[in-house]
Amino acid sequence: MTDSNLPPTGRDSLTDDLRWRGLIQDSTDPEELTTLLDGPAATFYVGFDPTAPSLHVGHLMQVATARRLQLVGHRPLLLVGGATGQIGDPKESAERTLNSPEVVAGWVQRIRDQLAPFVSYTGDNAARLVNNLDWTGEMSVVEFLRDVGKHFPVNRMLAREVVRARLETGISFTEFSYQLLQSHDFFELHRRYGCQLQFGGSDQWGNITAGVDYVRRRGLGPVQAFTTPLVTKSDGAKFGKTEGGAVWLDPEMTSPYAFYQFWVNVDDRDVSRYLRYFSFRSRAELEALEKETAERPAARAAQRALAEELTTLVHGEREMAQVVAASQALFGRGSLTELSAATLRSALAEAGLVHLDELPDVAGLLKESGLVSGLKEARRVITEGGAYVNNTRVTEVDAVVSPADLLHGRYLVLRRGKRSFAGVELRK
């Protein structure tokens, strides 16, 4: 049932805010959902399967929504799928590659650690991290078939769009059974913790509603559910992907600088929608940013606000300060020497980092970095005053750098003009 056309429920209610932000796409019962969300503290859950060593920006929709519900008093159960992560939700394209239980267990712990900063684990509505392997791993095959499988009509399972898409090419019983495992999670969380609500991405609607029905068939409930929309991009590209691959929350997989740049580079057509999805600023603040973007798009105020808020949320204030300092320093508006080696390297890697065994003269460095096409052009740029090493203008065409010029003993920042820069790393 679609929620988008429902009237407001009250001026400052959680439900009104979620609808204004576009965060409720479908729900099992809009009126009951409104009563639940705008009423006394309720327990809810959202799940994350460990299919990689890290969450990525596509997961931020669910993480931010969980944080949003907790901020008004509801109690989060953050489920990391130690069991379902070993199975994998069916994809329309092909069967998933199964990872070993040991690999999945390692990823479970990493994802649990990544979720920790987004919610509070203290107070009356403290968040709780749960793992569905705790109850699924204890079940025998006979128990699973008798106690769980008995409640799932196969004709309904076959009607799932992703299952229909796989019928001709083939789908294993393993992936076909995923819906039963996710549904059983809702039952167990309701039974153990009084969980009344589940939400997830709109691609999970079939699994989520199956869970609501399963809880009812087991004689418990009522429970509610809603889905958030899938995050899309106006240019048709997949959200959360760059030329370098996925944008991860783990700083070892995507640096804080690259994470920040991903949000700074968001299309003007998308930034207002992303601010509503991910930001915790007030409606008035977001509407002011939307207006400023419409009037002065070149200033990219909305993109910077989004990038700063999310980088701080994911990586902390200290890393955010380093990222901003790097963004300014690379263009000559700050000190390069104050940047940590890790931040400097990640920033240069985004711009283009070349590795050299020895250092040629400055003209050669400009050529090797790709800032110019050849030595003749490099010398002309130097003569015209457009060449910089570590933000210092180079005026001599035969200028050389010394080991003392290397930042952190191995890096150089080259710049041509005001906006084109590259990095050099001396191999050791």
Side-chain angles (χ1 to χ4, degrees), residues 284-415:
E285 290 175 295
L286 295 186
E287 288 176 340
L289 282 169
E290 290 172 7
K291 181 179 179 182
E292 185 174 357
T293 297
E295 294 174 350
R296 300 173 57 241
R300 302 189 77 75
Q303 283 90 341
R304 289 202 312 274
L306 180 65
E308 290 179 13
E309 182 175 359
L310 292 182
T311 304
T312 301
L313 182 63
V314 174
H315 296 295
E317 292 183 0
R318 182 176 178 180
E319 287 292 347
M320 180 63 235
Q322 280 279 301
V323 166
V324 171
S327 300
Q328 295 174 342
L330 290 176
F331 294 101
R333 299 190 298 272
S335 173
L336 290 167
T337 59
E338 294 180 2
L339 303 180
S340 69
T343 299
L344 178 62
R345 191 185 194 287
S346 62
L348 294 177
E350 286 295 298
L353 183 62
V354 296
H355 304 84
L356 300 177
D357 293 315
E358 57 184 26
L359 296 176
D361 60 12
V362 173
L365 288 170
L366 292 172
K367 175 180 177 294
E368 292 295 331
S369 69
L371 289 175
V372 297
S373 58
L375 291 176
K376 182 178 180 180
E377 183 182 5
R379 295 186 181 105
R380 178 177 59 79
V381 170
I382 293 172
T383 301
E384 293 174 351
Y388 298 80
V389 175
N390 295 345
N391 288 337
T392 300
R393 178 180 279 130
V394 179
T395 57
E396 302 294 332
V397 294
D398 57 354
V400 296
V401 296
S402 70
D405 295 317
L406 293 168
L407 300 167
H408 297 287
R410 63 193 311 167
Y411 301 109
L412 292 171
V413 178
L414 308 179
R415 181 157 52 89

Side-chain angles (χ1 to χ4, degrees), residues 57-87:
V57 292
H59 292 108
L60 276 180
M61 175 74 95
Q62 311 312 328
V63 176
T65 302
R67 178 181 174 89
R68 216 176 290 281
L69 267 61
Q70 188 184 32
L71 286 174
V72 299
H74 297 304
R75 292 180 293 270
L77 296 171
L78 302 180
L79 184 147
V80 182
T84 46
Q86 297 185 47
I87 303 301

